Amino acid sequence: MARQPEGPPPPPTVQRLRLRYAKRGPLRFASHRDLARALERALRRARVPMAFSAGFSPHPKISYVGAAPTGAASEAEYLEIGLAERCDPEAVRAALDESLPAGVDVLECVEAAEGGGSLADRIDATVWRVEFPGVEPGELAAAVAAFLARDEVTVAKRTKNGLRDVDARDPVVSAAAAGTAGCAILTMVVRQVTPAVRPDDVVAALAAVADLRPPSPPRAVREAQGRLDDSGGVIDPLGPDRAARTRCQGEHAAV
């Protein structure tokens, strides 16, 4: 059987852009696959000149990093795209934002710095905000204290291979309770491990150690992602790219 001739090679990637986007409201229930489809359609509608992979089934060069679980809202979802033509990052952000459905909002777009490493290497932790309607702040604070006092809290987690026992305590770097009467709020920093420990796993752990059982389902929002610093905070993963751009502009201005 004769081999099918290959088509012309795809144009090279001349620019990489990194985007932070939010998923809000009802769109928090969209799966990562559904969001990926919506983003790819929006890139076509916005006429972003995407670079494509080589081979018989070329795909647009899009890399997703650490997608939030279905049901959780997020202010800090990230992706990187490769372009076949150089574009103004802000123009790409605006065009893509306009092409996406309400509830998926492109918040920032920066050019990836050369030699700055991968975006995934800059993300190993998440800041979560979890609201507990119907729970008093003091009740949540007591449950959090009991949770943090443990060295290990095992919960059953459903994975693609069935139920699996995981330690929900070890990845939690910090956790604090606040809120107002009738709605407690948990803010926590969680390291990204495999399998991932997510807000619902921590909620299950609070039920296990303190019998905390909210009358309504808690609402989780990912507020930030990044690399842990020495103080237990999370460093903005786009910061190095912004800094490199600022240095480049300063050098050009000085010439």
Side-chain angles (χ1 to χ4, degrees):
M1 183 176 177
R3 182 179 177 181
Q4 293 293 323
E6 295 185 12
T13 300
V14 301
Q15 185 182 35
R16 292 181 298 127
L17 298 181
R18 291 169 174 172
L19 300 95
R20 177 171 70 95
Y21 68 96
K23 61 169 186 168
R24 299 164 171 159
L27 266 295
R28 69 187 186 276
F29 295 110
S31 69
H32 173 61
R33 182 173 294 181
D34 290 336
L35 286 172
R37 289 197 197 100
L39 283 160
E40 290 187 23
R41 287 196 296 266
L43 286 164
R44 290 195 295 270
R45 284 196 294 268
R47 299 183 181 277
V48 177
M50 297 296 297
F52 283 78
S53 62
F56 290 104
S57 299
H59 297 285
K61 290 190 175 181
I62 306 174
S63 299
Y64 299 92
V65 182
T70 303
S74 178
E75 295 295 313
E77 300 297 283
Y78 292 93
L79 74 153
E80 179 175 298
I81 59 176
L83 303 189
E85 301 174 14
R86 294 194 64 81
C87 295
D88 174 52
E90 176 55 25
V92 171
R93 186 208 65 77
L96 183 57
D97 186 60
E98 186 176 352
S99 300
L100 282 163
V104 182
D105 303 302
V106 184
L107 306 177
E108 189 172 6
C109 179
V110 301
E111 184 171 0
E114 290 296 328
S118 73
L119 186 57
D121 288 341
R122 300 181 190 172
I123 296 177
D124 63 8
T126 289
V127 179
W128 287 105
R129 181 178 186 269
V130 187
E131 297 179 359
F132 290 77
V135 175
E136 296 301 320
E139 183 183 2
L140 177 60
V144 169
F147 171 75
L148 293 176
R150 300 287 190 92
D151 292 328
E152 181 179 342
V153 182
T154 300
V155 298
K157 179 180 182 66
R158 188 171 297 282
T159 70
K160 62 181 180 180
N161 296 319
L163 286 177
R164 175 177 173 181
D165 287 341
V166 299
D167 179 10
R169 172 64 186 91
D170 181 66
V172 178
V173 177
S174 62
T180 58
C183 185
I185 297 173
L186 171 65
T187 301
M188 57 183 176
V189 178
V190 182
R191 288 186 292 107
Q192 296 182 2
V193 296
T194 303
V197 169
R198 293 170 171 166
D200 55 341
D201 300 315
V202 177
V203 171
L206 294 175
V209 301
D211 199 31
L212 180 70
R213 303 186 186 278
S216 301
R219 299 189 293 262
V221 180
R222 172 183 269 164
E223 294 195 321
Q225 288 193 82
R227 182 163 287 282
L228 280 172
D229 61 18
D230 293 338
S231 66
V234 171
I235 301 170
D236 179 0
L238 300 185
D241 300 309
R242 285 193 222 95
R245 180 64 175 172
T246 301
R247 286 195 304 272
C248 182
Q249 290 173 338
E251 290 168 359
H252 287 164
V255 172

